[in-house]
């Protein structure tokens, strides 16, 4: 042990200085790694909401209703960009700056379907930032009030005896509704029914009511008005349980066609939108959903069934749904 002239042990002093130096370095490193929570001034200008379908359809109505009840300090401005089976509007939103000032009112299932069907070459559904969905919209098979078909079984029986003579219409080409419908006809006995694509369910609905196509396959929210006016006759819904909006219409499962599907309607932001902005938008959408007036409006006036799915759960939902659409695309390929 080394002792200086005053008789003090020097080795412990070195240990003491080493300990103090380590503490100083630790504090310095910790301070350098930490940072105050990022503060975001958002929004400071109007937010554009792109609807990739024609005005009057389910996505358009939802976007405008959310804009009406939005708690954000800046307005949400809805812009319709239909065409290309939703590709034009979707890619416009996809390629917009990732600053939260351009959003897409989206049906994630439809986005996956269009990509897998080959119409869209970019996996927008995978790259974009999911914010939330606010409604779940089942699908329904319907015919004109003047149709000779009064039940789903009538359609099946006629199609079996007359392959290729019936036509059915819905929104888009090689997209969600075409894929799901193909599964219905396949499970109903491999029926051959010609598909006629339209730019929206609204135009397909008009064609069906006018007798220009034999069968309409569309969202419940878009068929209910025609059903209640008596212009359309719903034959079956695609959801697991009967729709509260069409309580007298049987499910496809009741008829022996094992299918359960519908659309989660909501919003997405361009890829790499900052998380603080995503969080603000998700909270705003949840606030809209929690507004009793909003729920009353969508259920009583717009014929939607409310169902909120937040950003993280929506990511998982998309991952779970992707294999289903892969199978449906193969089914369409087998039929064409």
């Amino acid at each position: 042990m080394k002792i200086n002239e005053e008789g003090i042990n020097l080795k412990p002093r070195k240990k003491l200085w080493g300990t103090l130096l380590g503490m100083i370095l630790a504090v310095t490193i910790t301070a350098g790694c930490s940072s105050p929570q990022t503060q975001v001034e958002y929004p400071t200008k109007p937010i554009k909401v792109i609807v990739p379908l024609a005005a009057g359809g389910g996505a358009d109505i939802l976007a405008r209703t959310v804009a009406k009840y939005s708690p954000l300090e800046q307005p949400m401005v809805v812009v319709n960009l239909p065409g290309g089976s939703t590709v034009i509007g979707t890619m416009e939103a996809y390629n917009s700056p990732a600053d939260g000032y351009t959003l897409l009112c989206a049906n994630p299932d439809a986005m996956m379907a269009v990509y897998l069907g080959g119409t869209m070459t970019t996996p927008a559904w995978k790259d974009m930032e999911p914010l939330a969905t606010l409604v779940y919209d089942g699908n329904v098979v319907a015919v004109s009030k003047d149709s000779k078909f009064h039940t789903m079984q009538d359609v099946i029986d006629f199609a079996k005896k007359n392959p290729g003579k019936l036509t059915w219409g819905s929104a888009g080409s090689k997209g969600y509704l075409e894929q799901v419908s193909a599964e219905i006809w396949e499970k109903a006995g491999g029926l051959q029914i010609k598909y006629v694509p339209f730019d929206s369910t609204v135009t397909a609905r008009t064609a069906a009511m006018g007798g220009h196509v034999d069968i309409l396959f569309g969202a419940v929210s878009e068929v209910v008005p025609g059903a209640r006016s008596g212009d359309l006759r719903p034959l079956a819904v695609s959801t697991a349980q009967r729709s509260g909006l069409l309580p007298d219409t049987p499910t496809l499962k009741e008829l022996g066609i094992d299918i359960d599907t519908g659309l989660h309607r909501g919003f997405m932001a361009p890829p790499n939108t900052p998380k603080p902005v995503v969080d603000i938008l998700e909270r705003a959408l949840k606030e809209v959903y929690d507004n009793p007036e909003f729920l009353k409006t969508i259920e009583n006036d717009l014929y939607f069934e409310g169902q909120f799915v937040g950003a993280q759960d929506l990511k998982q939902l998309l991952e779970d749904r992707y294999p289903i659409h892969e199978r449906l695309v193969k089914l369409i390929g087998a039929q064409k």
Side-chain angles (χ1 to χ4, degrees):
M1 180 181 294
K2 187 175 180 181
I3 305 294
N4 69 357
E5 294 179 354
E6 288 81 12
I8 298 174
N9 185 348
L10 295 179
K11 194 169 184 179
R13 180 175 292 182
K14 288 182 180 179
K15 283 187 176 181
L16 176 62
W17 279 110
T19 301
L20 289 173
L21 180 60
M23 292 174 63
I24 292 170
L25 286 172
V27 171
T28 303
I29 292 170
T30 302
C33 291
S34 63
S35 60
Q37 186 174 0
T38 304
Q39 298 296 320
V40 177
E41 290 188 18
Y42 172 86
T44 59
K45 62 181 181 180
I47 300 167
K48 180 167 68 174
V49 179
I50 294 177
V51 176
L53 292 162
D60 177 67
I61 292 171
L62 175 63
R64 295 181 189 279
T65 306
V66 168
K68 176 182 176 181
Y69 289 98
S70 171
L72 296 172
E73 295 179 357
Q74 294 289 331
M76 301 176 80
V77 181
V78 178
V79 177
N80 295 87
L81 290 177
S85 295
T86 72
V87 173
I88 293 175
T90 298
M91 293 311 298
E92 176 69 19
Y94 181 92
N95 291 316
S96 295
D99 55 10
Y101 290 102
T102 300
L103 307 179
L104 178 70
C105 185
N107 304 328
D109 277 289
M111 293 171 69
M112 281 189 282
V114 172
Y115 169 69
L116 286 166
T119 306
M120 182 186 294
T121 58
T122 302
W125 65 272
K126 184 177 182 180
D127 297 339
M128 295 185 77
E129 300 291 342
L131 302 175
T133 58
L134 291 82
V135 301
Y136 182 69
D137 204 2
N139 302 122
V140 58
V141 180
V143 295
S144 165
K145 65 178 181 180
D146 299 319
S147 172
K148 60 186 175 184
F149 304 123
H150 290 267
T151 67
M152 188 68 181
Q153 193 60 50
D154 290 342
V155 173
I156 294 171
D157 291 342
F158 183 89
K160 284 182 177 179
K161 295 176 182 177
N162 303 275
K165 288 191 176 181
L166 289 180
T167 58
W168 62 276
S170 69
S173 176
K174 297 183 180 179
Y176 167 78
L177 291 175
E178 182 180 1
Q179 292 171 19
V180 174
S181 300
E183 183 176 35
I184 292 173
W185 308 138
E186 175 68 19
K187 289 187 174 181
L191 305 180
Q192 296 180 31
I193 302 178
K194 294 179 182 178
Y195 178 58
V196 181
F198 292 87
D199 63 356
S200 71
T201 302
V202 175
T203 52
R205 180 178 65 198
T206 301
M209 290 190 296
H212 302 295
V213 291
D214 298 304
I215 305 163
L216 169 68
F217 186 70
V220 168
S221 64
E222 296 168 327
V223 172
V224 166
R228 292 189 175 179
S229 69
D231 293 312
L232 288 173
R233 182 184 302 139
L235 303 181
V237 294
S238 68
T239 45
Q241 288 84 34
R242 292 194 180 197
S243 169
L245 299 167
L246 297 169
D248 296 327
T249 304
T251 67
L252 288 166
K253 282 191 174 184
E254 289 178 55
L255 304 175
I257 302 172
D258 188 14
I259 189 170
D260 174 14
T261 187
L263 289 169
H264 290 84
R265 298 185 185 274
F267 297 82
M268 303 185 85
N272 302 315
T273 298
K275 190 176 186 308
V277 173
V278 169
D279 291 343
I280 290 171
L281 288 167
E282 182 185 6
R283 286 195 298 270
L285 291 172
K286 184 63 166 66
E287 190 171 335
V288 169
Y289 183 81
D290 289 338
N291 186 331
E293 288 301 314
F294 170 77
L295 287 178
K296 180 180 177 181
T297 298
I298 64 170
E299 292 175 357
N300 296 342
D301 301 335
L302 306 179
Y303 315 118
F304 287 131
E305 295 187 39
Q307 184 183 101
F308 186 87
V309 180
Q312 198 58 43
D313 289 336
L314 186 52
K315 285 183 179 180
Q316 185 61 52
L317 176 68
L318 295 179
E319 291 180 10
D320 294 342
R321 296 288 296 170
Y322 189 74
I324 296 174
H325 287 287
E326 281 188 310
R327 175 174 54 79
L328 294 181
V329 167
K330 291 178 181 178
L331 179 59
I332 286 183
Q335 289 194 341
K336 290 184 177 179

